[in-house]
Amino acid sequence: SPDGTKVVSCSDDKSVRLWDTSTAQQLAVMNGHTREVWRCSFSPDGTRIVSCGADKSVRVWDGTAGRRIAVMRGHKNWVKGCSFSPDGTKVVSCSDDSSVRVWDSTTGQQIAIMNGHTYWVVGCAFSPDGTKVVSCSGDKSVRVWDGTTGKQLAVLNGHTHWVQGCSFSPDGTKVVSGSEDKSVRVWD
């Protein structure tokens, strides 16, 4: 959690679990995923948790009691990445169906779908101001999107193998990506 008092974990046992960092005691178990859960993280204010996995869904949970708030469905294959926007009002997700999607984090309604990758998408993140999304894929590309409309703003080519991770710099002026080609690139 942002204040360091809790940790969230996800597992192949289909659960998301909330833990107290000072006592190592389990605080809540969030059940609802029907297959392996591969990613989970807190909202910027620590009040909610987002998770995603092999059941093709993205879920938002209450960060204290573990109660389910929203379920986002629309991906056609495994969901490999998910995270909140900086203000916590949106969630971005990416999938083996080659799409990136933006959702309302409270209602679960889809806001935008970003199509352009030609292979699985494993990483996605919002820019620090929440206006853009970056994604990376097995198609060896990194892409930048408008976070509201879904319009593709840039395709960053140069990696020679799958791109496994991507993020914006803290000031939002650069993108960083890491690839199976054993390189890390910084893009303007």
Side-chain angles (χ1 to χ4, degrees), residues 48 52 88 93 103 107 116 153-154 157 159 178:
R48 291 173 295 151
C52 61
S93 62
W103 313 86
T107 67
L153 303 175
N157 289 309
H159 284 293

Side-chain angles (χ1 to χ4, degrees), residues 31-36 50-61 68-79 82 91-95 97 99-113:
N31 291 308
H33 282 284
T34 58
R35 298 237 359 233
E36 303 92 323
V50 65
S51 62
C52 61
D55 66 0
K56 308 175 193 173
S57 75
V58 179
R59 294 169 188 259
V60 175
W61 311 87
R68 188 179 69 225
I69 295 171
V71 178
M72 293 87 152
R73 299 188 194 280
H75 284 293
K76 307 289 187 250
N77 207 328
W78 298 343
V79 184
C82 58
V91 166
V92 63
S93 62
C94 56
S95 169
D97 67 9
S99 76
V100 180
R101 296 171 192 250
V102 175
W103 313 86
D104 181 292
S105 67
T106 302
T107 67
Q109 291 296 111
Q110 185 174 288
I111 295 169
I113 182 169

Side-chain angles (χ1 to χ4, degrees), residues 41-43 45-50 60-63 69 84 88 105-106:
S41 64
F42 282 98
S43 60
D45 66 4
T47 62
R48 291 173 295 151
I49 294 165
V50 65
V60 175
W61 311 87
D62 175 86
I69 295 171
F84 282 97
S105 67
T106 302

Side-chain angles (χ1 to χ4, degrees), residues 108-176:
Q109 291 296 111
Q110 185 174 288
I111 295 169
I113 182 169
M114 293 102 161
N115 288 310
H117 284 291
T118 58
Y119 203 29
W120 46 257
V121 186
V122 71
C124 56
F126 279 98
S127 60
D129 66 3
T131 63
K132 296 182 191 109
V133 168
V134 64
S135 61
C136 57
S137 170
D139 67 9
K140 306 175 195 170
S141 75
V142 178
R143 296 174 190 250
V144 180
W145 312 87
D146 182 291
T148 301
T149 66
K151 180 182 177 192
Q152 186 173 276
L153 303 175
V155 180
L156 309 173
N157 289 309
H159 284 293
T160 59
H161 209 301
W162 304 335
V163 186
Q164 295 282 13
C166 58
S167 182
F168 282 95
S169 61
D171 66 1
T173 62
K174 294 179 176 35
V175 168
V176 178

